[in-house]
Amino acid sequence: MRVFRAALAGAFLVATLLTAPAYAQQQQMPKYGEETKDKSPQEIEADKAADRAYKRSLGNIPDQGPTDPWGTVRGNNDAPKASAAKTKKTKTGSVN
């Protein structure tokens, strides 16, 4: 029984220690009835600067033409083979 309690306490301790960093990364949500805090002028400027940097980085991406993801699978000619179009199959699947 003593070993079981020790294992249970160890498992609880490990679970607590592994989840603690995840809680630290979240922003605190306002509780029911609390008013949300207004952003400080520094935070507003930081948000605007980040937005401008993001838009500027989008302008650095070169325009690419249309891509053909199946181009390497498909052969050079797109037309189906004439011999495959002329063969007829019966209900059993044999060729006449």
Side-chain angles (χ1 to χ4, degrees):
M1 191 66 173
R2 185 178 266 183
V3 174
F4 178 71
R5 276 192 242 154
L8 188 62
F12 180 75
L13 181 64
V14 168
T16 306
L17 291 175
L18 289 177
T19 58
Y23 287 124
Q25 293 176 3
Q26 294 179 351
Q27 292 181 352
Q28 293 217 345
M29 299 298 292
K31 305 255 189 287
Y32 181 74
E34 283 185 354
E35 294 182 16
T36 57
K37 295 180 183 177
D38 292 333
K39 289 186 176 183
S40 67
Q42 292 86 8
E43 291 174 334
I44 293 171
E45 282 300 317
D47 286 345
K48 286 182 182 178
D51 190 42
R52 285 191 299 262
Y54 172 72
K55 288 181 181 178
R56 196 174 337 112
S57 70
L58 288 180
N60 294 337
I61 299 173
D63 291 333
Q64 295 180 353
T67 59
D68 186 12
W70 288 92
T72 57
V73 176
R74 194 173 32 247
N76 289 339
N77 54 357
D78 293 330
K81 295 181 181 178
S83 62
K86 290 182 182 179
T87 58
K88 291 185 179 181
K89 292 186 178 182
T90 61
K91 289 183 181 179
T92 59
S94 62
V95 177
N96 290 336

